[in-house]
Amino acid sequence: QLQLAESGGESVQAGGSLRLSCAVSGSNDDRLCMAWFRQAPGQKREVVARIDTGSGFSEVPDSLKGRFAISQDANKNTIFLRMDDLKSDDTAVYTCLAVRTRVQSCSETEGGYMYWGHGTLVIVSS
């Protein structure tokens, strides 16, 4: 059983930056696919970044490249989502998801993950 705990969400001005964190416990150093999803009010949940903790291979949708980046700490116990040049459209609940994996390709859909955090709210005001 994995436990995920997000932090770092807050209200920021447009153009600002935030770094979200997702602390993982219970992994026993297993290789994980981890991802950040977000859901804005009235919108579908969408993936914003994903990473394979074994290889470090990461992916960010083209629409967010250059502004969003995912990374992990050296112990692979925490993943981060760096968000720059934030826009009002980035306002959403950001949730960390994870699944144990043996392959590098991490799913871009939430159905590919077994474990969810509770989410952290990001509000971007213009």
Side-chain angles (χ1 to χ4, degrees), residues 14-83:
S17 297
L18 278 178
R19 189 179 78 160
L20 306 182
S21 300
C22 175
V24 183
S25 58
S27 69
N28 298 318
D29 294 327
D30 291 338
R31 183 178 187 176
L32 303 175
C33 273
M34 297 193 68
W36 286 98
F37 283 73
R38 70 181 180 185
Q39 187 169 27
Q43 302 295 317
K44 290 175 55 178
R45 188 174 287 108
E46 62 176 347
V47 65
V48 298
R50 54 197 196 273
I51 189 168
D52 168 6
T53 64
S55 67
F57 180 75
S58 64
E59 293 179 278
V60 174
D62 288 344
S63 60
L64 298 175
K65 283 179 180 175
R67 294 199 303 121
F68 284 30
I70 189 170
S71 61
Q72 60 181 339
D73 70 348
N75 294 325
K76 304 178 182 180
N77 291 330
T78 303
I79 65 166
F80 305 99
L81 180 67
R82 172 74 182 188
M83 304 184 290

Side-chain angles (χ1 to χ4, degrees), residues 3 26-27 33 54 85 95 113 116 123:
Q3 290 80 45
S27 69
C33 273
D85 190 22
T95 306
Y113 297 86
W116 293 53
I123 298 174

Side-chain angles (χ1 to χ4, degrees), residues 76-108:
K76 304 178 182 180
N77 291 330
T78 303
I79 65 166
F80 305 99
L81 180 67
R82 172 74 182 188
M83 304 184 290
D84 294 320
D85 190 22
L86 284 162
K87 307 178 188 301
S88 56
D89 288 348
D90 295 319
T91 294
V93 174
Y94 287 73
T95 306
C96 177
L97 279 66
V99 65
R100 290 182 171 88
T101 186
R102 296 181 179 178
V103 299
Q104 177 169 293
S105 178
C106 294
S107 176
E108 60 183 346

